[in-house]
Amino acid sequence: MPYGEETRTARDAREVLTWARGLLEPGLREVVERLPAATRHVAGYHFGWWDERGRPGDGDGGKAIRPALVLLAAEAVGGTAEKAVPAAVAVELVHNFSLLHDDAMDGDVMRRHRRTAWSVFGLNPAILTGDALLIQGFAVLAATGHPAARDGVATLSTAVRELVDGQTADMSFETRSDVDLDECVRMAGEKTGALIGCACGLGASFGGGTADQVARLTGFGTRLGLAFQLVDDLLGIWGDPEVTGKPVYSDLRNRKKSLPVVFALTSGTDAGKELAAAYHRVNPLADPELRHVAALVEAAGGRAWAQAEADRLLREAMGDLADAVPSPGPAADLATLARLITQRTS
């Protein structure tokens, strides 16, 4: 009996993601196995399949939220998850291209509780591996022969362009003292919201959805993606390293102008002014100072605003989901993932 019929039982987030990972991973591994040996080695390490010496490992390959959204969106419009697997693989490849490049550009040495690929293999191999994953993402999508493939390649291309634009803006913020909240929100929407919106739209297209359903589910994903970034920014300051896999106060240590930080910097409060003085100082921030800086962000309202915005975006995303008139079972799972994304700080 196809998934999504009334006889199916409700699933929690772990069950949904495990189901999606089971459908995704064979295709993902097949793509990586076709890469040249050196690139394959770095990619497999990044995905957690083996250690730096190529020995089988049990590393964390990530939650696979984006491919899960692809598969569920396909089912939500009456299609099958199986036919949308190539789109899910493509989205996951593109997402991991961005992670490999982000880690290299930001100088992050930890991801998913282990050393980042660039810190193990060097900058150039990590960057080239990211490039290879990006190229393979488009190749997988184009090779499907699915009626939605041609438009899907264009959709994914647009999302990657927006992702790159967002990352470019994010990096430019590092050397600027005049970043305003509107442009920071726009950057986050491009950097994170675009690919998650694309994931939902591709899934709906590969599931045979109507133009309206594709648009509604794209909107659902785009709003959800911005909420995801807001919560990710909260975790970058106050997240538990055991959960995030990154050092405590990692974003503050790098003086990233994340959403809660920019809200605080532009708040006009005394705490915001003190935060600006600390953020624009030349010398690195020591650990005791980082705790104080985090307290300043909170005192200036950054933490409360970011969580309230994430909650608002979740409500609006759920409205988009309902307007798509999806099948009940997949809709319930999409809602479960949406709540997971916006409640990671609880």
Side-chain angles (χ1 to χ4, degrees), residues 39-263:
T39 306
R40 180 172 67 247
H41 184 53
V42 178
Y45 172 85
H46 171 74
F47 284 117
W49 299 335
W50 45 74
D51 66 13
E52 64 272 18
R53 296 182 182 178
R55 298 172 298 194
D58 57 356
D60 180 2
K63 294 184 178 66
I65 287 174
R66 290 160 186 80
L69 291 171
V70 174
L71 301 173
L72 289 170
E75 293 190 327
V77 298
T80 66
E82 288 74 15
K83 287 189 177 180
V85 166
V89 170
V91 166
E92 185 71 348
L93 288 167
V94 168
H95 173 54
N96 281 277
F97 136 77
S98 74
L99 296 183
L100 284 161
H101 281 213
D102 280 358
D103 288 342
M105 287 185 284
D106 294 343
D108 288 338
V109 296
M110 294 294 294
R111 178 176 291 280
R112 300 167 179 165
H113 309 284
R114 70 205 302 241
R115 289 179 62 193
T116 50
W118 80 264
S119 70
V120 173
F121 301 102
L123 283 170
N124 291 341
I127 290 170
L128 290 170
T129 299
D131 294 342
L133 296 186
L134 175 63
I135 292 166
Q136 289 302 310
F138 284 102
V140 167
L141 204 56
T144 62
H146 192 286
R150 181 173 180 177
D151 288 343
V153 168
T155 298
L156 186 60
S157 177
T158 299
V160 171
R161 188 195 69 231
E162 291 184 14
L163 187 158
V164 171
D165 287 348
Q167 177 67 6
T168 301
D170 192 18
M171 293 182 66
S172 76
F173 291 173
E174 296 176 8
T175 57
R176 290 177 48 195
S177 59
D178 61 343
V179 179
D180 65 44
L181 189 59
D182 285 344
E183 65 179 325
C184 192
V185 170
R186 185 165 57 251
M187 174 275 294
E190 291 176 335
K191 184 177 177 180
T192 307
L195 187 58
I196 293 181
C198 171
C200 295
L202 279 179
S205 294
F206 272 69
T210 65
D212 184 67
Q213 286 178 311
V214 171
R216 299 287 187 182
L217 286 167
T218 298
F220 164 78
T222 301
R223 295 182 198 276
L224 195 58
L226 182 51
F228 184 103
Q229 186 60 57
L230 282 156
V231 175
D232 209 54
D233 286 353
L234 289 170
L235 290 171
I237 301 174
W238 294 283
D240 181 352
E242 292 297 319
V243 175
T244 65
K246 293 185 177 183
V248 67
Y249 304 134
S250 60
D251 282 0
L252 298 182
R253 193 181 305 277
N254 295 327
R255 281 186 264 203
K256 286 184 68 68
K257 293 186 177 71
S258 62
L259 287 159
V261 167
V262 171
F263 180 92

